[in-house]
Amino acid sequence: MIMNIFKKFKMLHFVILALGIFVLVSQSNNSQSSMKDSLPSVQSRQEKMEISLDLIGELQSLNHDYVYPKIWNGRISYLRPEGFVKEGEIVVSFETKGIEDDLKQSQEQLESAIYALENLKESIELQKVQADNGLEMAKKNLENAQTNYQRRKTEIEEGIRPPIDLAQSEISLLQAQQSLEESELSLKTRENQWELDLLDRQKTIDYRREKVEEKTEDLANGTIYAHKDGLMIHNEGWFGQVRKYQEGDETRKDRPILDFPEITSFIVRVKINERDLYKVKIGQDALITIDAVPGKIFEGTVNKIADIASSDMGTSSVTFSAQGDSKGFAAEILLSRSDKEQEPPALEQQFTNKDMKIREARKSNSGMPDSIKEKMEQGGGSQQVFTEKMSQWGDQESKQKEQDDFSNLRPGMTSLTRIILNVIENAVILPRSAIFIDSGKTVVYRVNNDQSWEKITVQLGAVTPQEAEVKSGIKPGETFLIVAPEESAISTSIESNKEEKANSSSNGKPSFGGWGGGSKGGSRGGK
């Protein structure tokens, strides 16, 4: 009895065990067959792949028209805010109290110099009179000495006086001649000195007069007017740090205070991290977006790259606080115009175009005022009036289309610049979310036609933070899982996010939105 019960229990145990194994195998097959439906997937694609480097930059004008102050050490009392100005508008005023005081002092010094010159001239005239009198006296003494000498000589010849008396007369004559020569030499020396003194005083007067003229000019230059219509911005100077001029700052004649930049040509200044420098070359193409002009992508070319790294870009025209404090190389991207000027069509072609616009407008009636539409439906309004109206609307539309792409750009705007480093034609591309690392190998999970998955080892080519080129192992148009069915596999998109966060924390870069940036570059697909 007990043995029969035991045998039945044993048989039941085997049946239950077999049934459990069958259920597990069935569930495993069903799980794998419905993998595509339960896990998200993407398809590989084949198209052109652009490897790029995304950077934050600042828009600057290519050409500048600087305004220099005409006052040394002038202190700014009024500085017009940056923006568009009209010719003749006051843009800078300087404090004039100090200039007025200096002018008054210079005028007093000039008057003193002129007075000193006049006094010197009077003194010279007096000294000249005294010197002339002394010279006349020396001449008379010489004449007397000559007369006495001749008389003594005659007396000696006549025997009236002894010969010894002639020697005394000769001595007196020589002394008189020497005295005259000394008087003439002294007068000539004094005349030279007087001339030098007059020149020195005249130089002092000229110097004082120049100072008066300079201060008078400074007083007249105490106000700077806009020399043309256009955009005006404040230039930068050194005030313990590089910053723009403000009211209260002192200026120098050799340092520009204002800039009237041309807004017809622009460059973007960027900072290239030293680890990315070898990737960037002069002449590479770039795409630029401006925060203030959403939805517009500008084209450009790498124009300059600095030879020496600097943490402050080595320029006072832009500060890259958003780029962090790491060293980098300053670079310039020259923006190019996308709109090409076309020659106006011939006169006959213009009339033909207008007629075509009129016929098209008659068909669509789009953009017309309701009053004109009603008149047309009622038969009112002449053909001439209608033609003139359509011509006006066509001209307005043409002007809007011809509007310069650069008209909304201003210096100082923040830009996002994508430098195209390399272009790969016909690349097989997969998002990095569909690429995994398993046991040190790069793998993908392909979904087969029977809805099962297959793990494939692949070889990657170019890699960006969002996607990668798969050089071998897969074909375009195949479906791949973006969630690994095996716990051992690690998505490469996770590593990409880690790299982006690390770069963001070190470089202070914000996200690049639809571009998907990062210092290691991004990609832009296109067929």
Side-chain angles (χ1 to χ4, degrees), residues 50 59 266-268 284-290 296-302 333-340 405-406 409 416-418 420 515 524:
E50 292 182 352
L59 196 66
F266 291 91
I267 58 173
V268 173
Q284 287 178 331
D285 294 331
L287 301 174
I288 301 98
T289 62
I290 308 298
K296 177 68 177 177
I297 298 179
F298 298 89
E299 297 180 354
T301 306
V302 179
I333 313 297
L334 178 63
L335 268 67
S336 58
R337 294 181 179 274
S338 59
D339 53 332
K340 298 181 180 179
D405 285 345
F406 288 178
L409 300 185
L416 301 180
T417 301
R418 165 161 289 179
I420 309 302
W515 276 5
R524 184 171 65 94

Side-chain angles (χ1 to χ4, degrees), residues 318-441:
V318 62
T319 56
F320 288 77
S321 58
Q323 301 274 54
D325 297 329
S326 60
K327 281 189 175 182
F329 291 80
E332 290 183 1
I333 313 297
L334 178 63
L335 268 67
S336 58
R337 294 181 179 274
S338 59
D339 53 332
K340 298 181 180 179
E341 295 183 359
Q342 299 180 353
E343 295 183 359
L347 187 60
E348 296 179 358
Q349 185 67 27
Q350 290 181 8
F351 284 117
T352 303
N353 292 340
K354 287 184 178 180
D355 293 340
M356 291 177 63
K357 289 181 180 179
I358 292 172
R359 287 195 294 270
E360 291 175 358
R362 278 180 167 178
K363 293 179 181 179
S364 63
N365 293 342
S366 60
M368 293 186 192
D370 295 337
S371 59
I372 299 297
K373 291 181 180 180
E374 293 175 359
K375 286 184 179 180
M376 289 182 61
E377 292 173 357
Q378 297 173 2
S382 65
Q383 177 69 24
Q384 181 179 1
V385 174
F386 173 73
T387 303
E388 292 176 355
K389 291 292 183 183
M390 287 307 305
S391 177
Q392 293 176 4
W393 297 329
D395 292 341
Q396 292 176 0
E397 180 182 359
S398 176
K399 289 180 181 178
Q400 291 178 355
K401 289 183 179 179
E402 293 174 358
Q403 187 176 8
D404 191 354
D405 285 345
F406 288 178
S407 61
N408 293 325
L409 300 185
R410 299 291 180 270
M413 288 182 172
T414 303
S415 67
L416 301 180
T417 301
R418 165 161 289 179
I419 300 176
I420 309 302
L421 304 176
N422 188 21
V423 177
I424 304 173
E425 299 290 346
N426 299 321
V428 180
I429 303 172
L430 262 182
R432 288 188 64 169
S433 58
I435 304 172
F436 303 88
I437 303 296
D438 189 9
S439 302
K441 296 181 180 180

Side-chain angles (χ1 to χ4, degrees), residues 22 62 68 71 94 144 150 154 157 167 173 178 211 219 228 233-234 261 274 278 287 333 354 365 395 454 457 465:
F22 175 77
L62 178 62
Y68 291 80
I71 300 176
F94 295 94
N144 293 333
Q150 291 296 332
T154 302
E157 290 176 352
L173 178 60
Q178 184 177 0
K211 282 295 181 182
L219 193 61
K228 64 179 181 180
I233 61 176
H234 304 156
E274 51 191 343
Y278 74 94
L287 301 174
I333 313 297
K354 287 184 178 180
N365 293 342
D395 292 341
E454 177 185 2
T457 302

Side-chain angles (χ1 to χ4, degrees), residues 102-237:
D102 291 342
L103 176 60
K104 183 178 180 181
Q105 183 180 1
S106 298
Q107 289 174 337
E108 292 175 351
Q109 291 174 344
L110 175 61
E111 293 176 358
S112 298
I114 295 174
Y115 181 73
L117 177 62
E118 295 299 327
N119 287 340
L120 177 62
K121 288 181 178 179
E122 293 178 0
S123 175
I124 290 174
E125 290 297 327
L126 180 60
Q127 294 179 52
K128 276 186 176 181
V129 171
Q130 294 176 350
D132 290 341
N133 292 336
L135 183 62
E136 290 296 328
M137 186 176 293
K139 289 179 179 180
K140 288 181 179 180
N141 291 337
L142 178 60
E143 291 176 358
N144 293 333
Q146 290 175 344
T147 300
N148 290 333
Y149 176 78
Q150 291 296 332
R151 187 172 61 249
R152 292 294 173 89
K153 186 177 181 180
T154 302
E155 291 176 350
I156 291 173
E157 290 176 352
E158 292 177 353
I160 299 175
R161 287 181 176 276
I164 191 66
D165 290 345
L166 185 59
Q168 183 64 37
S169 296
E170 288 178 351
I171 294 173
S172 299
L173 178 60
L174 291 174
Q175 290 178 345
Q177 289 176 344
Q178 184 177 0
S179 177
L180 177 59
E181 291 175 357
E182 290 177 352
S183 297
E184 291 174 344
L185 180 60
S186 175
L187 179 59
K188 187 175 182 179
T189 302
R190 295 177 71 180
E191 285 177 345
N192 291 336
Q193 184 61 47
W194 291 335
E195 185 177 357
L196 292 176
D197 292 343
L198 289 173
L199 288 175
D200 184 63
R201 295 297 173 87
Q202 187 61 47
K203 287 182 179 179
T204 301
I205 291 176
D206 293 341
Y207 173 75
R208 298 302 181 190
R209 183 172 286 113
E210 288 178 1
K211 282 295 181 182
V212 170
E213 293 175 354
E214 179 182 328
K215 296 303 177 183
T216 303
E217 185 178 359
D218 287 348
L219 193 61
N221 293 327
T223 301
I224 298 179
Y225 301 88
H227 62 287
K228 64 179 181 180
D229 295 348
L231 178 65
M232 181 210 72
I233 61 176
H234 304 156
N235 208 45
E236 294 181 342

